[in-house]
Amino acid sequence: TDRKKFHTAPVRQVFRLRPFHVLVATGGGYAGYKKYEGYKLEQLEKRGIEVPVKLASEWEVALYKSVPTRLLSRAWGRLNQVELPTWLRKPVYSLYIWTFGVNMKEAAVEDLHHYRNLSEFFRRKLKPQARPVCCLHSVISPSDGKILNFGQVKNCEVEQVKGVTYSLESFLGPRICKEELHFSQAPPGNSFQQQLVTKEGNELFHCVIYLAPGDYHCFHSPTDWRVSHRRHFPGSLMSVNPGVARWIKELFCHNERVVLRGDWKHGFFSLTAVGATNVGSIRIYFDQDLHTNSPSYSKGSYNDFSFISNNNKEGIAMRKGEHLGEFNLGSTIVLIFEAPKDFKFHLKAGQKIRFGEALGSL
C-alpha cells in the first residue's frame, strides 16, 4: 500500500509526431539537400561547365519558407554573443578560419584571444591600409564579396544571377514621394523603372555582391551620395548563396532587407542590404531606430523612415568609402542607381572583389 503508482501512456502517445515537428524536419532536410545541390553546381561552374537554370516550384519555395529560419537566426545571434573561455577561443576561431579561408593578417587585431565571442570575431575591423579606396572611379565596391551580376536594368526586371530575375518594384517597394527624395515628377503613365530615372539620357544600373561567411562583414559607402530614406522589409531569412539564388526566383524579394535610397550627382541611388539565414541582424550606423529580425513580423509589410526633416533638408551625407553598416555573418549587397548611358562596369561575373576596388565609372 506504500508503493507509488506509476502511470504510463500508450506507445502511440509517447512517440506521437506533431505536424510542426514533421514540417520542420522535412523542410530542414530539403533545404540541406538543396544547399548540397548548390555546392555541386558551384563545382561544375568552376570547371567551366555551364549548368541550365532550374527554378523552384511554388511548393518547394513554400516548403523552404516553412523552416523557422527567423527563430533559428535569433537563436544563432544569441549564441554568438556568449562569451567564450579564453582557452577555447583560439581552437573555435581557428576552425572557422580554416573552414572559410579567413585572412587574419588583414585584421586590425590578429590575436584570436582578443575576441570575446563569435559576434565580435565576425565583425572584426581591418587594418587601415588593408583596403585602399580607389579615387579614380566614381563607384567602388561597398564590401568584400563575389560579383553575382551587374549591368543595365531592363523591363523593370533585375538579375540576381544569370537567367534568374526579380521585380524592381517588388524589391524596392512603392516609389517615395517627390518631396522626400528631391526627384523630378515622372509622368504617371511611365513604368516604375522610368519613374526612378530623373535625368534625360540616363539609365538604371545594378550590381549584386554576395558576402561569404569568411568575408569582411562591414559595408561602406560606394560613392559620394545623400541618403534620404530607409525602407525596412521584414521577411524570410533564406540562404542567399549563389546556388539558392539560381534556384529561387525573386529570392531577394522574399528575404528581409533594408533599402537605403537617396541621390548622387547623376540622380537616383540606392543600396540594399539583404538578410539571410543566420544573418537576421543588419545594422546601419547612423540609423538607431532600425531593428531587424524582430519577433513581431508581419508578412508583406514594410516600414519607412525619412532622414529629411525641418532641421535637415539634405538627409545623411555619405562620403565614398565611409563606414555605413555591418552584417553579423555575411549576406548580399544590391546597388541600383541611375547614371549616364556611357557608365561602364569594370567587372566580370563571378569574380572576387574587395571593399574599395572599382565597380565602374563614366
Side-chain angles (χ1 to χ4, degrees), residues 101-166:
V102 179
N103 183 2
M104 285 302 293
K105 291 183 179 179
E106 298 177 332
V109 180
E110 296 184 41
D111 181 10
L112 297 180
H113 295 101
H114 169 80
Y115 302 100
R116 295 173 297 176
N117 52 49
L118 281 166
S119 183
E120 285 189 3
F121 179 72
F122 293 148
R123 295 180 286 107
R124 64 192 177 277
K125 305 301 181 186
L126 298 181
K127 294 173 181 174
Q129 67 273 21
R131 296 289 186 275
V133 175
C134 177
C135 299
L136 301 177
H137 298 273
S138 52
V139 184
I140 62 168
S141 176
S143 66
D144 289 7
K146 178 181 179 181
I147 302 295
L148 295 189
N149 217 301
F150 62 92
Q152 282 192 22
V153 177
K154 298 178 181 179
N155 302 320
C156 294
E157 291 282 323
V158 186
E159 282 194 316
Q160 58 193 28
V161 293
K162 185 178 179 180
V164 182
T165 63
Y166 55 93

Side-chain angles (χ1 to χ4, degrees), residues 56-106:
S57 62
E58 288 186 10
W59 73 264
E60 287 178 308
V61 176
L63 183 60
Y64 190 0
K65 291 174 76 172
S66 71
V67 180
T69 51
R70 294 177 61 83
L71 178 61
L72 293 173
S73 296
R74 284 196 295 273
W76 175 252
R78 291 191 180 96
L79 179 63
N80 287 349
Q81 293 171 4
V82 174
E83 185 169 343
L84 297 176
T86 306
W87 62 269
L88 189 58
R89 293 174 189 176
K90 188 171 183 177
V92 170
Y93 301 147
S94 296
L95 177 62
Y96 189 92
I97 290 167
W98 177 79
T99 303
F100 296 108
V102 179
N103 183 2
M104 285 302 293
K105 291 183 179 179
E106 298 177 332

Side-chain angles (χ1 to χ4, degrees), residues 12-300:
R12 65 178 181 274
Q13 291 184 13
V14 174
F15 295 100
R16 185 175 60 186
L17 290 174
R18 302 182 187 280
F20 174 76
H21 298 154
V22 174
L23 197 61
V24 169
T26 306
Y30 191 75
Y33 166 71
K34 294 308 296 185
K35 289 197 72 171
Y36 173 68
E37 276 200 339
Y39 169 77
K40 291 196 298 183
L41 291 176
E42 284 184 19
Q43 298 306 308
L44 291 174
E45 282 187 345
K46 287 180 180 178
R47 290 158 52 189
I49 301 173
E50 190 169 345
V51 181
V53 174
K54 183 182 178 182
L55 294 177
S57 62
E58 288 186 10
W59 73 264
E60 287 178 308
V61 176
L63 183 60
Y64 190 0
K65 291 174 76 172
S66 71
V67 180
T69 51
R70 294 177 61 83
L71 178 61
L72 293 173
S73 296
R74 284 196 295 273
W76 175 252
R78 291 191 180 96
L79 179 63
N80 287 349
Q81 293 171 4
V82 174
E83 185 169 343
L84 297 176
T86 306
W87 62 269
L88 189 58
R89 293 174 189 176
K90 188 171 183 177
V92 170
Y93 301 147
S94 296
L95 177 62
Y96 189 92
I97 290 167
W98 177 79
T99 303
F100 296 108
V102 179
N103 183 2
M104 285 302 293
K105 291 183 179 179
E106 298 177 332
V109 180
E110 296 184 41
D111 181 10
L112 297 180
H113 295 101
H114 169 80
Y115 302 100
R116 295 173 297 176
N117 52 49
L118 281 166
S119 183
E120 285 189 3
F121 179 72
F122 293 148
R123 295 180 286 107
R124 64 192 177 277
K125 305 301 181 186
L126 298 181
K127 294 173 181 174
Q129 67 273 21
R131 296 289 186 275
V133 175
C134 177
C135 299
L136 301 177
H137 298 273
S138 52
V139 184
I140 62 168
S141 176
S143 66
D144 289 7
K146 178 181 179 181
I147 302 295
L148 295 189
N149 217 301
F150 62 92
Q152 282 192 22
V153 177
K154 298 178 181 179
N155 302 320
C156 294
E157 291 282 323
V158 186
E159 282 194 316
Q160 58 193 28
V161 293
K162 185 178 179 180
V164 182
T165 63
Y166 55 93
S167 161
L168 179 65
E169 186 168 7
S170 297
F171 182 68
L172 294 178
R175 188 166 174 263
I176 312 300
C177 68
K178 171 187 171 184
E179 289 76 16
E180 288 183 341
L181 293 183
H182 314 293
F183 293 162
S184 61
Q185 184 66 44
N190 284 7
S191 68
F192 182 81
Q193 178 177 335
Q194 292 170 326
Q195 290 177 22
L196 293 178
V197 177
T198 66
K199 299 178 181 179
E200 189 176 350
N202 280 3
E203 297 286 347
L204 272 188
F205 295 85
H206 74 100
C207 183
V208 183
I209 306 170
Y210 167 68
L211 289 74
D215 287 328
Y216 167 57
H217 298 139
C218 296
F219 50 92
H220 301 245
S221 176
T223 191
D224 295 334
W225 64 309
R226 294 175 301 170
V227 184
S228 303
H229 185 270
R230 179 258 291 162
R231 176 168 284 164
H232 172 218
F233 291 84
S236 301
L237 288 172
M238 295 185 283
S239 171
V240 292
N241 75 51
V244 178
R246 189 183 293 106
W247 178 53
I248 297 180
K249 182 179 173 64
E250 299 206 332
L251 171 65
F252 299 156
C253 297
H254 290 295
N255 271 16
E256 181 148 3
R257 59 198 182 278
V258 176
V259 182
L260 299 178
R261 301 169 64 148
D263 60 298
W264 69 320
K265 60 183 178 181
H266 299 297
F268 172 79
F269 198 96
S270 73
L271 179 149
T272 302
V274 183
T277 308
N278 295 335
V279 194
S281 175
I282 301 170
R283 183 183 174 194
I284 304 298
Y285 295 138
F286 58 74
D287 188 356
Q288 301 302 316
D289 295 320
L290 175 66
H291 301 286
T292 56
N293 196 13
S294 169
S296 55
Y297 157 56
S298 179
K299 184 178 180 181

